[in-house]
Structures are given as structure tokens and as C-alpha cells.
Amino acid sequence: MNNSLKLGIVGAGRMGITHFSIANAHEHAEVTGVADPSRLITTMLGKYTKVSTYKDYKGLLKGEQLDGVLVCTPPALNPEILDAALEAKLHAFVEKPFMLSAGDGERFARAFDAAGLVNQVGYVNRWNDMFTKAKSFIEHGLIGRPLRFRSEMFSPTIIRDPGDAGWRSTHANGGGAVYEMASHALDLINYMLGAPDRVGGTSLTKVWSKQVEDVVSSSLFYESGLAGTIYVNWSDASFRKPTNKFEVFGSEGKIQVDQHGIKIFLTRAHEAHGLKEGWNQLYITDVFSSVPFYVRGIEYTAQMFDFIDAVRAAKAGEPAPVRCTFADASANLRVIEQLFADGAANAQGDAA
Amino acid sequence: MSANGPIDRIVFGDNQFFGINHMSQDKAQERAERFAKLDNVMAVYDHAIEAGIEGIMLNSNDRAKGICDRFRADPDKYGHLRWYPSIPYPHKYASMVNDRGMVGAVQEILFAQGAKSALGKMLKGGMAVATLDAVKLMKMLVDQEMEIYHDLDVRVVFLQNVIVDLMLGYDVAEPFKAYCEHIRKKYGAYPGLITQNLPFLRAKLIEWGIEDVVICASINKIGYLMSPGVEEYEQVLAENDGTKYPVMAMSTLASGAVPPAEAYEYINRHNIQSVVFGASSPGNIRQSVSLIEPEGASA
């Protein structure tokens, strides 16, 4: 274990404790320290795991000799934490949406790249086997030239009055359906087709929340003529768990994909891909990959092990490509800023 | 082995009732509507019992209490059944975390039982949440989840894989030891652990000296939800002592990817002690029962 990567975790919420378990199960990595402001959480972790615990990132960085840090805090806190990680020359994995402003994101993307530090953001759908398969079909030109798309996400996250407690209740902390959920729907677009150039017709609507939106819809446009829509609703009780749906219409076919399956309609057969003319259906059981250790879903392990492997490669002087960099996440933040601006302009129009 | 005797070769699961279908959301919705009526649920159980099934696995959820009440209400018809509950109810805690955050959720759980409960008394006695004994807390949560199974013949109490696999990554024995001991002492039942990492979990249990635990894991010929892979599973099954670590196979059809005859042929030729399956039509239930051989291959 002497050659193991030493990792620290900032923020032991739901994602922090998941990444802790997964990273710790990697044969060449171990989590040695966790920082969280909750005494309840650090007391339990200190007592029932082998990690040292700290009340904040400053203590963690001072107390531990680390190779990398997993930042799982509300995004408003991340610039300060990443400044410190950069100074300590730590590779960094950061939970989505990464930052609140694209400008901050781009600054860190440049700085980490310049310092030769691995930087990755936790847009986990990029590691889902169905979405990666759909992306490869599109890239191989199976549906021809992409012309229209829609990216949707639904969940029963906020289905009653959430009150004002917690970081979710304001944009200043990174709460709201745009930062927390539409970011996923936008990232899928970015991953599959690249980031759009502008947005229009944005509606941000409250169902239960008082200060932030619960429902998001908008149209997205590219200079190339490609266009599409997003529709995100985290107050939809008809869904049992968070679900992404993505559809692209192209000049030679159409693809519909979610986390569990792909339906693809083709105007001509593509035998090399095992696909016939007309409708084809692929299930997750047809294309799944195996991971060495499973917690909550294959994609969570695949994502974290990629980060760990990228850090090991960087340390060996052989940098490897990263599937979701700070720059990728910053591109999403640019679109998010446009959504907020367009949504606010449209709301003013309503009031007038 | 356990005071209660061996575990059932065939156990009837409940995913079919709760709109959980990995293949199609439309199908899942159709099922959820049909089984919103408890009478329709009980009719399926009656078919399963007619087909010879005597073991029932039930996941803790909103519906489980109503189902248990029905079974308790007719001891002549159902009194011989053996129960395999799986706890906790993950969605309940997940939505609490959504609403309140992690710390808020823990506090809500602690205070939910009211001031008269053992936990309420403890808290009233001035014990700060931050110094709370997590093992004691775990036992209380288990007992709370197990209340709905009172007066039923509980053979195994399973811990859900979300919890088991998360803790497995932390690589510490104590929570596992404490859970297993509590289930044996308090319920006279086997402790059971559900996992998607069977080889890793079994190796750790051996390392930690924890025996007589039922391991429930996805086992199918295509390796779906089997980490790290199907070869490692086959190797571990071949060498496993089924009296120390009885293995219960779930997801044997891999969400419908493997036809039943092929799926159970695979199960029958491996050293697997028990199989849990879910189905809703009488024909599918009878077919599964007929395809699963009474005794598995031995090590």
C-alpha cells in the first residue's frame, strides 16, 4: 500500500461518502482524510472508518500528505477550496456543477492544466454505458447529420415545501433545478453534440421552492443550424428516481436514449454495428461494462477509477485524457449563465 | 447453523409489485397500477404458495406493512411461511436527505420515535447527537424497521446492498459484526447481506472472522451486476462452503436478458443454496419453480 495514492475528501454528504467508499476500494488508492463541518458526520466516520477527520479543508490540507482531493461541497465554496488545492499542487475531482460562474471555472481550468494537475468534474452520465454507446453511434454518423435534439431530466426531488433550510434553497449556494439538475441535461448535450452558442425562450418556474426554480425549459441554438430543447423538472412525483431522456433526430435516423436503453431508428442498415434498417432496441444488459467494485451504479465507479488512473498516469509522467475536465464543466456554466439571463429577461416581459 | 434451521431453496421476491422493472418504464407503470390494490398483490402470493413456495422476501417500503398484516390475519393459510425481510427502506431515507440534508435527516430519524421511545429517553437524558453511539443507533433503526414483521417466522434479515456495498468500501469490520450479532441475538435469525460485490464481500467476511451469514447477490450467466466479473463469481462459488456462507442468487434472469430455462440451468449447476425470484403470472411462477432444482450443486 506504500505506493497508494493518498486522497482527501472535502464534504461528506451523499456524494462525498459514496466517492469515499469507491476510491478506497481502488487497489492503488486510499482515502486518508475527510473534512466536513458536521460533528455528527466526522464523529461517526472517525469512529467507524480508518480516516482522520477535519472540520474544514484547511485542516485536511495541513494534516494530510495528499496526492489528490475530492471536492464534494456546495459549489459556492469551491473557488476557495480549489485555490488551496492548486497551491498544494493537488489533483482534483470536483462534484458538479463545479462552480457558480463560468469565469471562475475557466480560470481554474487554465490554472490546473498549466500546473499539470488532473482536473475532473463529476458529470456521471458521461460514464453511463447507454449514453457512451449513443455518443459513439452519433459520432460514427449512424443517424447522419444531427439536426434537432431534446434533453430532458425528471425527478421527485422537491415534491413538497422544502422550507428555507439547507444550501439547496438559494442560487447563491448553488441550489435550484438549473444548477443541480439542468446542469446534467446540459452536460449530456455538451458531451454528445458540443456546447450550444446561444439560448432562447427560457422559462424558469417555481412549484414548491421559494427562491429557486423547480422547472426549467429552454431552446438551444448552434451556428451550424443544429437546435434543440431542454426540459427539466425536479418536482415530478410520477418518477421514482432521477431519469435522463435524450433524443437526437438526424438526416439518416433518430436515437432515443436513457440510462437503461437505446432505441435507434435508421434509414439504412449498419451491419458493422449490428443494427438493421428501421427500429433497433438495445438494453443496458446488451452493452454494460463491468467494474471492479460496485456502489450505487457502474458509472460511479468507472468515473472515480478513471480519475485515480489519470492521477497515477500523471504522476508517472504519462498524462492521460480526462473525460470530463474543468473546461468541459465551464462550458456548461456558460450555458447556465445564458439560461439565467434569458429566463430573467422573459420573466420581466411577463411582468410588464 | 441458525436455531431456525436451513434457508429455503426458493424464495419469492417482491420487485414485481412495486413498479421496478429494469427494462421498460411503461411496463413498470402498468404493474404499479395493477398492484396498487392489495387484493391483486395477495392473489399473486396465493399463486406462489400454490406452486409450492414457502419463503418470502419483502423489501421494507410503504406497502410492506399492509402485506404483512394480511399474512398475519390468516395464520391457518399462511402461518407456515418463512420470511426474508430486507431493510432499510432506502427511498424513505433518500427523500429525507433530499428534504433535510444529511444531518437533518439523521436528526429527523432520531426524533421520529418520540420522547417515550428508548431513543427519545436517551436523547432526553442529555446525550448529544454528536456523541451518539452509531452501533446503538443502528440497532434501534433495525428494530424500528423490523416492527412490521412481528409474529412472522423470520429466517433471514437482509441488509440492502446500498448500505452493504458502501460500508464494504470503508473496509472496517465493526458495523458488519454489530449488525450480524444483533440479528442473531434479537431475532434468532440469520444475518443476511445483499451485495453486488460477492467475491470481495466474502473475502472480507472471512478476513474478519464473520461466519453464518447469508450472502444474496445478482448471479446470472451474462455477469450483469456482478463485480468484478462472472469468472471471479464462478471461482468463489466453486470453493465456497455453503454451510458457512449460504448464497442466495437474485437477478438470475438479468432483467429479462436471459431466458428462464437458460438462467436456472446456470444456477442449478453452481454451488448456490437458494434462489429469490419475482414473477406475477401463475404460469411464470410455476415455470420458475419447476426449473429450479431442489438441491444445488455442491462445492
Side-chain angles (χ1 to χ4, degrees), chain A residues 230-305:
Chain A
I230 65 163
Y231 169 38
V232 171
N233 187 340
W234 74 0
S235 296
D236 189 339
S238 73
F239 283 81
R240 213 178 123 254
K241 51 186 177 186
T243 301
N244 285 87
K245 290 169 182 271
F246 193 85
E247 176 176 311
V248 188
F249 170 83
S251 53
E252 295 173 36
K254 180 164 87 172
I255 191 162
Q256 297 172 324
V257 56
D258 63 25
Q259 277 97 342
H260 305 287
I262 292 178
K263 282 182 186 168
I264 180 165
F265 181 90
L266 299 174
T267 55
R268 61 188 170 92
H270 287 267
E271 271 135 30
H273 295 275
L275 299 172
K276 59 184 190 294
E277 187 185 324
W279 283 106
N280 297 265
Q281 166 90 58
L282 270 89
Y283 296 110
I284 187 73
T285 45
D286 297 320
V287 301
F288 68 96
S289 52
S290 242
V291 288
F293 179 66
Y294 181 107
V295 179
R296 284 181 62 181
I298 287 167
E299 51 268 55
Y300 289 100
T301 304
Q303 153 184 270
M304 186 49 57
F305 278 29

Side-chain angles (χ1 to χ4, degrees), chain B:
Chain B
M1 301 267 285
S2 155
N4 275 352
I7 60 171
D8 284 88
R9 172 68 177 164
I10 303 180
V11 172
F12 194 62
D14 65 351
N15 277 356
Q16 69 276 15
F17 299 134
F18 301 108
I20 299 168
N21 188 296
H22 303 289
M23 284 302 211
S24 147
Q25 280 180 2
D26 291 342
K27 218 173 184 180
Q29 186 186 336
E30 202 179 291
R31 285 184 180 181
E33 284 170 22
R34 173 175 163 203
F35 294 120
K37 277 199 184 121
L38 210 47
D39 285 343
N40 293 345
V41 171
M42 292 310 291
V44 173
Y45 278 122
D46 286 345
H47 291 309
I49 292 161
E50 248 165 61
I53 284 168
E54 298 186 344
I56 296 180
M57 180 185 265
L58 206 52
N59 289 286
S60 285
N61 57 41
D62 294 337
R63 310 286 310 284
K65 187 180 179 302
I67 293 173
C68 289
D69 287 342
R70 288 283 191 107
F71 278 102
R72 264 189 299 263
D74 196 346
D76 287 347
K77 190 170 172 190
Y78 300 124
H80 65 294
L81 299 175
R82 292 169 289 273
W83 290 81
Y84 298 79
S86 123
I87 58 170
Y89 177 20
H91 292 289
K92 181 172 92 183
Y93 298 108
S95 61
M96 262 187 212
V97 171
N98 276 341
D99 288 352
R100 312 277 310 267
M102 289 259 291
V103 175
V106 173
Q107 276 162 347
E108 184 167 319
I109 293 161
L110 297 183
F111 291 102
Q113 293 188 319
K116 279 186 183 162
S117 69
L119 197 53
K121 282 178 199 156
M122 231 168 79
L123 293 166
K124 227 170 147 188
M127 176 176 267
V129 169
T131 58
L132 194 70
D133 181 338
V135 166
K136 218 174 244 174
L137 171 62
M138 178 275 293
K139 288 180 186 173
M140 287 173 178
L141 292 177
V142 167
D143 294 346
Q144 192 182 333
E145 295 263 349
M146 285 299 293
E147 265 170 29
I148 62 168
Y149 300 99
H150 70 86
D151 297 323
L152 295 174
D153 178 3
V154 172
R155 190 56 50 104
V156 179
V157 182
F158 284 106
L159 197 57
Q160 297 264 13
N161 59 297
V162 166
I163 309 281
V164 170
D165 291 332
L166 188 74
M167 292 202 311
L168 192 56
Y170 298 150
D171 192 20
V172 280
E174 192 175 344
F176 288 99
K177 281 185 178 155
Y179 174 78
C180 293
E181 198 184 283
H182 184 61
I183 297 304
R184 278 196 201 97
K185 271 194 186 158
K186 174 116 190 196
Y187 299 97
Y190 267 119
L193 302 172
I194 305 178
T195 182
Q196 311 286 30
N197 305 288
L198 183 150
F200 189 20
L201 175 65
R202 179 177 168 275
K204 280 293 165 188
L205 293 175
I206 292 170
E207 180 188 320
W208 295 330
I210 304 175
E211 289 183 359
D212 289 333
V213 177
V214 181
I215 302 176
C216 179
S218 303
I219 303 181
N220 50 69
K221 63 188 289 184
I222 65 168
Y224 184 55
L225 298 178
M226 296 162 68
S227 285
V230 71
E231 294 82 15
E232 289 85 348
Y233 268 61
E234 289 175 2
Q235 198 184 326
V236 163
L237 288 173
E239 67 181 43
N240 185 48
D241 179 351
T243 61
K244 280 184 186 163
Y245 302 105
V247 170
M248 184 182 289
M250 63 176 185
S251 304
T252 48
L253 308 185
S255 289
V258 187
E262 255 178 69
Y264 295 123
E265 185 274 329
Y266 182 82
I267 296 296
N268 288 336
R269 70 184 153 85
H270 285 92
N271 173 27
I272 291 166
Q273 283 63 48
S274 179
V275 182
V276 56
F277 80 94
S280 45
S281 79
N284 285 346
I285 293 170
R286 276 198 304 271
Q287 183 195 32
S288 293
V289 170
S290 71
L291 289 169
I292 300 166
E293 284 170 8
E295 296 289 330
S298 50

Side-chain angles (χ1 to χ4, degrees), chain A:
Chain A
M1 290 291 275
N2 286 340
N3 289 327
S4 271
L5 284 189
K6 304 269 191 292
L7 299 173
I9 293 178
V10 187
R14 200 151 38 137
M15 288 321 303
I17 63 171
T18 301
H19 295 319
F20 177 7
S21 173
I22 294 170
N24 208 45
H26 192 291
E27 60 175 333
H28 299 297
E30 59 180 317
V31 175
T32 64
V34 176
D36 195 277
S38 159
R39 248 191 89 206
L40 174 69
I41 304 290
T42 51
T43 303
M44 292 220 186
L45 287 177
K47 208 164 160 187
Y48 297 103
T49 71
K50 294 167 187 161
V51 292
S52 308
T53 58
Y54 302 89
K55 74 176 186 333
D56 59 22
Y57 73 90
K58 291 175 192 159
L60 174 77
L61 298 191
K62 207 169 157 191
E64 300 291 316
Q65 281 291 326
L66 300 173
D67 297 294
V69 65
L70 313 179
V71 180
C72 310
T73 35
L77 305 174
N78 291 354
E80 185 184 331
I81 296 167
L82 286 182
D83 271 326
L86 191 57
E87 201 185 316
K89 298 240 171 300
L90 299 180
H91 304 281
F93 172 94
V94 184
E95 257 312 321
K96 44 72 54 174
F98 172 47
M99 293 278 142
L100 296 180
S101 90
D104 280 344
E106 285 155 6
R107 175 167 72 83
F108 284 112
R110 283 191 300 270
F112 272 73
D113 283 345
L117 295 169
V118 175
N119 53 91
Q120 187 175 321
V121 175
Y123 281 109
V124 71
N125 282 326
R126 292 191 185 217
W127 280 264
N128 174 278
D129 289 312
M130 296 321 305
F131 292 125
T132 54
K133 191 76 182 170
K135 178 181 163 70
S136 92
F137 285 160
I138 295 168
E139 282 174 352
H140 280 95
L142 270 59
I143 58 164
R145 188 162 58 95
L147 294 167
R148 287 290 183 276
F149 62 82
R150 55 181 181 195
S151 180
E152 301 173 336
M153 185 171 182
F154 306 96
S155 80
T157 307
I158 305 290
I159 51 173
R160 62 187 80 87
D161 184 352
D164 284 326
W167 63 270
R168 270 210 166 86
S169 62
T170 65
H171 283 150
N173 289 328
V178 169
Y179 280 127
E180 290 195 66
M181 282 190 62
S183 57
H184 274 300
L186 291 170
D187 185 65
L188 270 181
I189 296 167
N190 192 356
Y191 180 51
M192 303 261 190
L193 303 164
D197 297 302
R198 62 187 177 85
V199 312
T202 307
S203 295
L204 306 175
T205 305
K206 297 178 178 71
V207 181
W208 293 105
S209 299
K210 294 185 185 69
Q211 300 180 63
V212 297
E213 68 291 334
D214 298 311
V215 185
V216 182
S217 58
S218 186
S219 294
L220 312 167
F221 306 95
Y222 295 68
E223 300 297 343
S224 66
L226 172 65
T229 57
I230 65 163
Y231 169 38
V232 171
N233 187 340
W234 74 0
S235 296
D236 189 339
S238 73
F239 283 81
R240 213 178 123 254
K241 51 186 177 186
T243 301
N244 285 87
K245 290 169 182 271
F246 193 85
E247 176 176 311
V248 188
F249 170 83
S251 53
E252 295 173 36
K254 180 164 87 172
I255 191 162
Q256 297 172 324
V257 56
D258 63 25
Q259 277 97 342
H260 305 287
I262 292 178
K263 282 182 186 168
I264 180 165
F265 181 90
L266 299 174
T267 55
R268 61 188 170 92
H270 287 267
E271 271 135 30
H273 295 275
L275 299 172
K276 59 184 190 294
E277 187 185 324
W279 283 106
N280 297 265
Q281 166 90 58
L282 270 89
Y283 296 110
I284 187 73
T285 45
D286 297 320
V287 301
F288 68 96
S289 52
S290 242
V291 288
F293 179 66
Y294 181 107
V295 179
R296 284 181 62 181
I298 287 167
E299 51 268 55
Y300 289 100
T301 304
Q303 153 184 270
M304 186 49 57
F305 278 29
D306 266 7
F307 173 71
I308 290 168
D309 294 342
V311 173
R312 296 184 70 225
K315 280 175 67 97
E318 297 160 1
V322 168
R323 198 177 296 185
C324 188
T325 61
F326 285 2
D328 292 322
S330 301
N332 294 333
L333 288 166
R334 276 275 167 231
V335 184
I336 284 174
E337 287 179 350
Q338 292 171 1
L339 285 182
F340 281 134
D342 190 47
N346 293 337
Q348 277 169 3
D350 288 347

